[in-house]
Amino acid sequence: MSNALNAEDAPQPPKVLTTPLEISGNLRQLQDSHDPLIITFHERSQRFQSYLVDIDRERKTIVLDEMIPRDGERFLLAGEPFKVEGFHDGVRIAWDSNGPLTIDESGDTRCYRGPLPDQVVYHQRRNAFRAALKLAQLVNVDLDGEKLKAPISGKLLDISATGCKLRFEGDISSRLQLGQVYDRFAAALPFGKMTAPVELRYLHFEERISTTFAGVRFHNMSGLVQRQVERFVYQLQREARRFDKDDF
């Protein structure tokens, strides 16, 4: 079971996209899905969040939404080189800055305009089966660690061998930071509690239903925890197949 899951989850080698057609097509996936982007400046540890709001292949330009937190703007204005990283359906899409960005306030929102990247790294990181839990079977989770003042409790929505999606009541987005590693993530699996460090890769508050959704990636898992996760994914996979078969 473990070998089969590991084979499914084997990362694919990264591809480097160099044509404007390929680059704009893949960046458009990030734009259309409103996937969050992480911006890091080369000699700084702080991370900033943004979104792609426009891509113009003909003019070879892109537009990024206002950074969160906004104090990253001063690094932009100083012309510091930066890296942008986003994830779409398990694919890492990343690029380095290709010249400075300028602040644009001509529309309703503040944004940053600059040149289309010269090249983009496209890396299929996850091929693993991602198992969704039925609403009646959602697993309780706790996010804790030195970076949090108090644990945050929520529910596990889906899980794969490499990470999982979580749901929390209310708006907790101000308490968490993208790219941060939280060293005590715990999930009450049916056959025992699992605990592992996780890295926050996605964060979104849905105001309409007052719920925060988060995506985390397991970070330096022990062999024991990895086997627990694989066992749970395998169990959910079997249940899903049986459910589909019964439906048929």
Side-chain angles (χ1 to χ4, degrees):
M1 176 187 73
S2 177
N3 289 340
L5 275 170
N6 286 339
E8 276 186 5
D9 197 43
Q12 307 299 307
K15 300 175 186 175
V16 179
L17 311 178
T18 56
T19 70
L21 180 63
E22 287 180 309
I23 290 171
S24 58
N26 282 278
L27 295 189
R28 202 166 297 285
Q29 293 183 72
L30 296 172
Q31 179 190 354
D32 292 345
S33 299
H34 204 58
D35 294 315
L37 304 177
I38 298 173
I39 297 177
T40 50
F41 292 88
H42 288 192
E43 296 183 1
R44 303 183 185 277
S45 59
Q46 190 175 4
R47 294 167 180 245
F48 303 90
Q49 180 176 312
S50 184
Y51 294 90
L52 259 172
V53 294
D54 189 46
I55 301 156
D56 190 326
R57 180 162 59 91
E58 301 303 322
R59 297 181 181 178
K60 294 185 178 180
T61 59
I62 60 171
V63 179
L64 298 178
D65 198 14
E66 182 177 354
M67 275 193 287
I68 305 170
R70 188 166 151 180
D71 56 359
E73 275 189 13
R74 56 195 170 98
F75 307 138
L76 275 186
L77 293 174
E80 293 190 21
F82 58 90
K83 177 184 282 290
V84 185
E85 180 183 50
F87 285 84
H88 180 76
D89 288 344
V91 176
R92 176 178 177 265
I93 300 174
W95 66 95
D96 288 312
S97 56
N98 177 27
L101 297 182
T102 56
I103 297 175
D104 184 344
E105 294 182 285
S106 59
D108 295 333
T109 57
R110 189 179 183 88
C111 56
Y112 317 114
R113 191 176 299 275
L116 191 74
D118 281 335
Q119 60 180 37
V120 165
V121 175
Y122 177 97
H123 193 183
Q124 178 76 46
R125 302 289 290 272
R126 174 177 56 78
N127 251 353
F129 175 83
R130 182 167 285 274
L133 282 72
K134 297 173 186 175
L135 285 176
Q137 300 175 333
L138 295 187
V139 166
N140 291 325
V141 298
D142 288 302
L143 196 58
D144 196 6
E146 293 180 4
K147 303 294 182 182
L148 289 173
K149 292 181 180 178
I152 305 173
S153 298
K155 297 287 187 181
L156 180 69
L157 295 181
D158 70 27
I159 187 168
S160 78
T162 54
C164 52
K165 187 174 181 181
L166 313 173
R167 185 188 77 190
F168 300 95
E169 297 298 322
D171 185 1
I172 61 158
S173 54
S174 62
R175 299 169 62 184
L176 300 173
Q177 184 182 338
L178 279 174
Q180 185 64 257
V181 173
Y182 297 96
D183 47 12
R184 289 192 297 278
F185 167 76
L189 303 185
F191 43 79
K193 184 178 180 180
M194 66 147 282
T195 306
V198 293
E199 181 182 0
L200 184 65
R201 304 301 304 182
Y202 174 81
L203 188 64
H204 174 67
F205 172 60
E206 187 61 56
E207 189 173 1
R208 183 174 52 86
I209 54 175
S210 189
T211 300
T212 302
F213 295 96
V216 300
R217 186 167 65 192
F218 298 124
H219 184 80
N220 295 337
M221 273 195 300
S222 68
L224 173 63
V225 172
Q226 187 172 0
R227 288 190 292 275
Q228 281 182 297
V229 171
E230 289 174 352
R231 179 183 172 188
F232 188 45
V233 171
Y234 182 70
Q235 178 181 317
L236 292 171
Q237 192 173 15
R238 287 186 63 186
E239 288 178 3
R241 285 173 179 164
R242 187 167 62 241
F243 183 76
D244 289 344
K245 190 175 178 182
D246 290 347
D247 262 7
F248 179 75

